[in-house]
Amino acid sequence: MPEVLVVGVGIVGAACAYRLAEAGLKVVVLEKEATFAQGSTGKSAAGVRVQFSEPLNILLSYHSILEYQRIPEASYRPIGYLFLVPEALREAQEEALATQRALGVPVEKLSLKKAQSHVPFREEGLAYATFGPMDGVIDPHGVTAHYLREARRLGARVRFSEPLISARREKGVWRAKTPKGEVAASFLLLCTGAWTGEVGKRLGLEIPIRPVRRMVFATAPAPFPHAFPLTIDLATGFYLRSEGARVLMGRSNPDEPPGFSEGMDWRWLAPTLEAGLSRFPFLEGLALDRRASWWGYYEMTPDANPILGFVEEGLLVAAGFSGHGVQQAAMVGRLMAEEVVYGKARSLDITPFRLDRFREGRFLKEKGIV
């Protein structure tokens, strides 16, 4: 009998499976798809950054990036994140910057003139910019494949095309039902991303994680050379970055209803471009490539921060990252292994991200959600 049953093999599930197997535990992984990274991992814009306001988010990302730097398959590129800070957010971003620096992560405060050396933009309404030189992009597929290979090398068994239908706890053991039979394990770990709310219902639990569709728009190759960092206009939430000769861009739609809506919402292109052109006029000269654009799901919680750790006896959740799972998966894998082995994560205090906060009405106020 396996000791831990991991459900889901995106980047978070793969990292957890690897670290659990590394700790000497017998691990079985269930994945409803025919291969790995078919959910939010595979649709990610691939960014990694330390520029958050909540200390736990900063440290989860920081330690994860340090790990990605050592994984060749991650193809880590420190292109940087550039935050353009409006006057209205001057003080809030100063506080976030102070928190980042107190934790020892590299973030710089830039004048608008210096920020222009990274990407051209209109300065109206802006106070200053911040730049994270270790922020950048990775290959989420490459990292997931690496963790999955290492987990298997250490004895973990991965079962594709086998969704979790239901599960119940009996005499200290989780008994999970799948289309191919029953799997029993002492611990059950849900790394099911945007599907976690639905999976929770199969266990008779209310886990407040819901899917929300997000679009990434891609231009055709630009007629000029560029190497833009991932640049975010905090006044509107619009972001862009270079991807080869193309420019990727997007903006979260605050009115997008939760649910498994599918396909591109081309109606959201006009509001996205309106916000982008107001700050980055050079975009007007670029053509959109509809075939290169894509959509995926954010796995949203009520406060846009993840749920981590035990939620009841023998049951753990590592989901609800609200667009930041790729950034934090490496460290989350280590922490979930500690939860199982020691009964509590040791490397970082994950208390702020436990499910209890919602039951007790303690919502976090992360200011760096995009």
Side-chain angles (χ1 to χ4, degrees), residues 1 17 24 32 34 46 64 85 127 155 180 205 210 214 221-222 242 341 357 362:
M1 185 182 78
K32 64 183 179 64
S64 293
V85 184
K180 298 179 181 180
L205 295 173
R210 301 291 181 266
R214 294 286 183 255
S242 294
V341 173
R357 72 183 187 273
R362 294 182 288 103

Side-chain angles (χ1 to χ4, degrees), residues 46-114:
V48 293
R49 62 177 165 102
V50 297
Q51 292 190 73
F52 289 92
S53 64
E54 284 291 318
L56 187 50
N57 274 326
I58 295 168
L59 292 172
L60 285 172
S61 289
Y62 177 61
H63 290 294
S64 293
I65 294 171
L66 291 178
E67 183 167 315
Y68 297 147
Q69 290 175 345
R70 302 190 297 269
I71 300 174
E73 295 90 338
S75 301
Y76 164 70
R77 292 186 290 130
I79 65 172
Y81 265 57
L82 181 71
F83 280 29
L84 304 180
V85 184
E87 290 286 352
L89 297 178
R90 175 194 288 268
E91 292 185 8
Q93 199 64 16
E94 288 276 9
E95 293 175 4
L97 183 59
T99 301
Q100 293 155 11
R101 288 175 169 171
L103 293 171
V105 302
V107 181
E108 307 166 3
K109 183 178 180 181
L110 303 182
S111 67
L112 297 178
K113 181 179 180 180
K114 190 170 182 180

